[in-house]
């Protein structure tokens, strides 16, 4: 059974895929299906949910539901940009460091360690100040700082495969490094990279939301989930429920991505694991292992209690 079939057979993965499919649908068609223009202002400011505005209006009279639907695209695109930049920078360098010799390995490790210790907020602010404040610039900066995670994962898997018999046999037979990577190594690295990509996408959504508090990335009035959350916090006295509307989609999306990563790790494992339910995956609990019964043929404890003659 392939990894994909195993993944689709896990109920928790099915629920996560349904949620993510809905998010992708909103990212593609949300702006076109929105009942109002996401940027249109009206005199009806800070109105509660009603028949005309199902989720109410914000502080300048814009429809909250329309902004949520339209803001899905920018939020998802920003998270995907972060993951793509991290993968393009981290995975090839992680694989190359195993075959690059001591000098190349030392340089790659030092560069990865340097990027790991950099605070993403300060680095992103520096990039935005240099290249200009924009969604692409901010996401490239965050993607660069996420590259070490992909570097370490791909390098760790490649190091384990470097000394296997079939890889050494292929090298002795004159196979090129590119052929070995494509044939023997990438199929083992890809599932681990996919798990890291799912987790990094969820983390990127939270990073985009945190940067919105600092005015970095998408600039108003363009809607994003994080930007709406930051704006709603200024009017908690009038609308204490308002942060729930952008917060719930973020919570569902990040939770679905983390659960999908956990299910993918389980599906890609060579040895079968005890499956966990949806709630257990959310709280991070591992299934209880059945107790191993003592072998009646060797009752050691009972023999130890027999007094010596």
């Amino acid at each position: 059974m392939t990894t994909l079939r195993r993944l689709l057979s896990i109920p928790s993965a099915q629920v996560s895929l349904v949620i993510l499919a809905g998010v992708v649908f909103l990212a593609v068609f949300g702006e076109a299906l929105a009942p109002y223009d996401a940027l249109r202002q009206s005199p009806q400011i800070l109105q509660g949910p009603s028949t005309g505005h199902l989720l109410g209006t914000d502080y300048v009279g814009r429809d909250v539901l329309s902004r949520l639907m339209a803001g899905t695209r920018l939020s998802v695109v920003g998270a995907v940009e972060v993951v793509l930049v991290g993968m393009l920078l981290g995975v090839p360098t992680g694989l190359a460091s195993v075959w690059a010799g001591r000098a190349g390995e030392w340089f790659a490790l030092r560069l990865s360690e340097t990027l790991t210790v950099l605070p993403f907020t300060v680095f992103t602010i520096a990039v935005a100040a240099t290249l200009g404040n924009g969604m692409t610039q901010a996401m490239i900066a965050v993607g660069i700082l996420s590259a070490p995670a992909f570097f370490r994962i791909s390098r760790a898997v490649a190091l384990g495969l470097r000394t296997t018999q079939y890889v050494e046999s292929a090298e002795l037979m004159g196979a090129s490094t590119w052929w070995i990577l494509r044939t023997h190594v990438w199929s083992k690295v890809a599932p681990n990279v996919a798990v890291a990509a799912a987790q990094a996408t969820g983390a990127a959504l939270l990073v985009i939301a945190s940067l919105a508090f600092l005015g970095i990335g998408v600039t108003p009035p363009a809607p994003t989930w994080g930007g709406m959350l930051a704006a709603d916090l200024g009017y908690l006295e009038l609308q204490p429920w308002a942060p729930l509307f952008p917060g719930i989609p973020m919570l569902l999306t990040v939770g679905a991505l983390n659960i999908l990563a956990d299910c993918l790790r389980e599906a890609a494992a060579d040895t079968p694991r005890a499956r966990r339910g949806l709630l257990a995956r959310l709280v991070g609990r591992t299934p209880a292992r059945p107790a191993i019964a003592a072998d009646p043929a060797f009752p050691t404890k009972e023999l130890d209690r027999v007094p010596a003659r």
Side-chain angles (χ1 to χ4, degrees):
M1 183 182 294
T2 62
T3 301
L4 182 59
R5 291 180 179 176
R6 292 176 184 174
L7 181 65
L8 295 178
S9 64
I10 301 176
S12 299
Q14 297 172 2
V15 175
S16 301
L17 289 174
V18 170
I19 295 175
L20 295 177
V23 173
V24 173
F25 178 82
L26 287 178
V28 177
F29 303 104
E31 187 173 1
L33 297 177
Y36 299 96
D37 185 1
L39 303 180
R40 193 186 75 174
Q41 303 179 11
S42 67
Q44 301 175 352
I45 62 173
L46 297 176
Q47 297 294 318
S50 61
T51 56
H53 302 279
L54 296 180
L55 298 183
T57 58
D58 62 2
Y59 61 98
V60 291
R62 295 171 298 196
D63 184 66
V64 174
L65 178 60
S66 300
R67 290 182 62 78
L68 277 178
M69 297 175 66
T72 304
R73 175 180 300 177
L74 290 176
S75 301
V76 172
V77 168
V80 171
E81 286 181 358
V82 171
V83 175
L84 288 179
V85 172
M87 290 177 59
L88 291 176
L89 294 178
V91 175
T93 54
L95 296 177
S97 65
V98 180
W99 279 269
R102 290 188 176 181
E105 182 181 15
W106 182 88
F107 178 78
L109 289 174
R110 299 295 82 77
L111 180 60
S112 175
E113 292 172 357
T114 302
L115 293 176
T116 302
V117 300
L118 287 176
F120 80 90
T121 304
V122 177
F123 184 76
T124 306
I125 293 175
V127 172
T130 305
L131 302 179
N133 187 15
M135 185 71 169
T136 303
Q137 294 89 327
M139 295 307 101
I140 289 176
V142 178
I144 291 174
L145 296 184
S146 67
F150 293 97
F151 171 85
R152 291 192 298 266
I153 290 173
S154 57
R155 173 178 166 78
V157 179
L159 278 175
L161 298 173
R162 181 71 170 82
T163 57
T164 55
Q165 293 182 354
Y166 56 86
V167 172
E168 293 180 346
S169 300
E171 291 178 343
L172 292 175
M173 295 179 64
S176 63
T177 302
W178 172 251
W179 186 89
I180 294 174
L181 290 174
R182 187 180 69 253
T183 306
H184 296 300
V185 177
W186 177 245
S187 60
K188 306 296 188 303
V189 174
N192 296 276
V193 172
V195 173
Q199 293 176 336
T201 304
L205 286 172
L206 299 179
V207 169
I208 295 172
S210 63
L211 291 177
F213 284 90
L214 303 176
I216 302 174
V218 179
T219 56
T224 59
W225 292 346
M228 295 179 62
L229 182 60
D232 292 335
L233 292 179
Y235 301 91
L236 289 178
E237 295 182 358
L238 300 176
Q239 288 186 332
W241 64 85
L244 293 176
F245 296 141
I248 290 176
M250 291 177 58
L251 177 65
L252 291 176
T253 305
V254 174
L257 286 168
N258 289 333
I259 292 175
L260 183 63
D262 187 53
C263 295
L264 185 58
R265 187 185 297 110
E266 177 183 312
D270 295 332
T271 57
R273 299 180 181 180
R275 291 187 176 180
R276 296 187 293 171
L278 186 63
L279 182 59
R281 294 182 191 275
L282 287 174
V283 299
R285 295 180 57 184
T286 56
R289 296 182 179 180
I292 301 177
D295 192 344
F298 301 95
T300 56
K301 294 183 179 179
E302 285 74 7
L303 292 177
D304 292 339
R305 296 173 183 174
V306 178
R309 295 180 180 179

